[in-house]
CSV table of all heavy atoms in Angstrom, one decimal:
chain,number,residue,atom,x,y,z
W,749,GLN,N,63.2,110.0,-62.9
W,749,GLN,CA,63.7,110.9,-61.9
W,749,GLN,C,64.0,110.2,-60.6
W,749,GLN,O,65.0,110.4,-59.9
W,749,GLN,CB,62.8,112.1,-61.6
W,749,GLN,CG,62.7,113.1,-62.7
W,749,GLN,CD,61.7,114.2,-62.5
W,749,GLN,OE1,60.8,114.0,-61.6
W,749,GLN,NE2,61.8,115.3,-63.2
W,751,LYS,N,64.6,107.0,-60.3
W,751,LYS,CA,65.7,106.1,-60.5
W,751,LYS,C,67.1,106.8,-60.4
W,751,LYS,O,68.0,106.3,-59.8
W,751,LYS,CB,65.6,105.4,-61.8
W,751,LYS,CG,66.8,104.5,-62.1
W,751,LYS,CD,66.4,103.4,-63.1
W,751,LYS,CE,67.6,102.5,-63.5
W,751,LYS,NZ,68.3,101.9,-62.4
W,784,ASP,N,85.9,122.1,-47.0
W,784,ASP,CA,86.0,122.3,-48.4
W,784,ASP,C,87.4,122.2,-48.9
W,784,ASP,O,87.7,121.7,-50.0
W,784,ASP,CB,85.4,123.7,-48.7
W,784,ASP,CG,83.9,123.8,-48.6
W,784,ASP,OD1,83.3,122.7,-48.7
W,784,ASP,OD2,83.4,124.9,-48.4
W,785,SER,N,88.4,122.7,-48.1
W,785,SER,CA,89.8,122.7,-48.5
W,785,SER,C,90.3,121.2,-48.5
W,785,SER,O,91.1,120.9,-49.4
W,785,SER,CB,90.7,123.5,-47.6
W,785,SER,OG,90.8,123.0,-46.3
W,795,VAL,N,90.0,111.3,-56.5
W,795,VAL,CA,89.3,110.6,-55.5
W,795,VAL,C,87.9,111.1,-55.4
W,795,VAL,O,87.7,112.3,-55.4
W,795,VAL,CB,90.1,110.7,-54.1
W,795,VAL,CG1,89.3,110.0,-53.0
W,795,VAL,CG2,91.5,110.2,-54.2
W,806,THR,N,73.5,113.5,-36.0
W,806,THR,CA,74.7,113.7,-35.1
W,806,THR,C,75.9,113.1,-35.9
W,806,THR,O,75.7,112.3,-36.8
W,806,THR,CB,74.5,113.0,-33.8
W,806,THR,OG1,74.5,111.6,-34.0
W,806,THR,CG2,73.3,113.5,-33.0
W,812,ALA,N,78.3,106.0,-38.6
W,812,ALA,CA,77.7,104.7,-38.8
W,812,ALA,C,77.0,104.6,-40.2
W,812,ALA,O,77.2,103.5,-40.8
W,812,ALA,CB,76.6,104.5,-37.7
W,815,GLU,N,79.8,104.1,-42.8
W,815,GLU,CA,80.5,102.8,-42.6
W,815,GLU,C,79.6,101.6,-43.1
W,815,GLU,O,80.1,100.7,-43.8
W,815,GLU,CB,80.8,102.5,-41.1
W,815,GLU,CG,81.9,103.4,-40.6
W,815,GLU,CD,82.1,103.4,-39.1
W,815,GLU,OE1,81.6,102.4,-38.5
W,815,GLU,OE2,82.8,104.2,-38.6
W,844,GLY,N,80.2,100.0,-38.0
W,844,GLY,CA,79.4,100.1,-36.8
W,844,GLY,C,80.1,99.9,-35.5
W,844,GLY,O,79.6,100.1,-34.5
W,846,TYR,N,82.8,101.1,-33.2
W,846,TYR,CA,83.7,102.3,-33.0
W,846,TYR,C,85.0,101.9,-32.4
W,846,TYR,O,86.0,102.7,-32.5
W,846,TYR,CB,82.9,103.3,-32.1
W,846,TYR,CG,82.8,103.0,-30.7
W,846,TYR,CD1,83.7,103.3,-29.7
W,846,TYR,CD2,81.7,102.2,-30.3
W,846,TYR,CE1,83.6,103.0,-28.4
W,846,TYR,CE2,81.5,101.9,-28.9
W,846,TYR,CZ,82.4,102.3,-28.0
W,846,TYR,OH,82.3,101.9,-26.7
W,862,ARG,N,100.4,117.1,-48.2
W,862,ARG,CA,101.3,115.9,-48.5
W,862,ARG,C,101.1,114.8,-47.5
W,862,ARG,O,100.9,113.6,-47.8
W,862,ARG,CB,102.7,116.3,-48.7
W,862,ARG,CG,103.6,115.2,-49.1
W,862,ARG,CD,105.0,115.7,-49.6
W,862,ARG,NE,105.8,114.7,-50.0
W,862,ARG,CZ,105.8,114.2,-51.2
W,862,ARG,NH1,105.0,114.6,-52.1
W,862,ARG,NH2,106.7,113.2,-51.6
W,865,LEU,N,97.5,113.3,-47.9
W,865,LEU,CA,97.4,112.4,-49.0
W,865,LEU,C,98.3,111.1,-48.8
W,865,LEU,O,97.9,110.0,-49.3
W,865,LEU,CB,97.9,113.1,-50.3
W,865,LEU,CG,96.9,114.3,-50.7
W,865,LEU,CD1,97.6,115.1,-51.8
W,865,LEU,CD2,95.6,113.7,-51.1
W,890,ASN,N,101.0,128.3,-47.8
W,890,ASN,CA,100.5,128.4,-46.5
W,890,ASN,C,101.0,129.6,-45.7
W,890,ASN,O,100.3,130.3,-45.0
W,890,ASN,CB,100.7,127.1,-45.6
W,890,ASN,CG,100.0,127.2,-44.3
W,890,ASN,OD1,98.9,127.6,-44.2
W,890,ASN,ND2,100.7,126.8,-43.3
W,903,GLU,N,108.2,142.3,-43.0
W,903,GLU,CA,107.6,142.9,-41.8
W,903,GLU,C,106.2,143.3,-42.1
W,903,GLU,O,105.9,143.8,-43.2
W,903,GLU,CB,108.4,144.2,-41.4
W,903,GLU,CG,109.8,144.0,-41.1
W,903,GLU,CD,110.1,144.2,-39.6
W,903,GLU,OE1,109.2,144.8,-39.0
W,903,GLU,OE2,111.1,143.9,-39.2
W,923,THR,N,71.0,152.3,-15.9
W,923,THR,CA,69.6,152.0,-15.9
W,923,THR,C,69.0,152.1,-14.5
W,923,THR,O,69.8,152.2,-13.6
W,923,THR,CB,69.3,150.6,-16.5
W,923,THR,OG1,70.0,149.6,-15.6
W,923,THR,CG2,69.8,150.4,-17.9
W,928,GLN,N,73.6,148.3,-15.2
W,928,GLN,CA,74.6,147.7,-16.1
W,928,GLN,C,74.6,148.4,-17.4
W,928,GLN,O,73.6,149.1,-17.8
W,928,GLN,CB,74.2,146.3,-16.3
W,928,GLN,CG,74.3,145.4,-15.1
W,928,GLN,CD,73.9,144.0,-15.3
W,928,GLN,OE1,73.3,143.7,-16.4
W,928,GLN,NE2,74.1,143.1,-14.3
Side-chain angles (χ1 to χ4, degrees):
Q749 289 177 343
K751 178 154 176 55
D784 289 337
S785 70
V795 177
T806 65
E815 288 172 13
Y846 71 93
R862 187 167 180 80
L865 295 169
N890 184 45
E903 297 249 350
T923 59
Q928 295 177 351

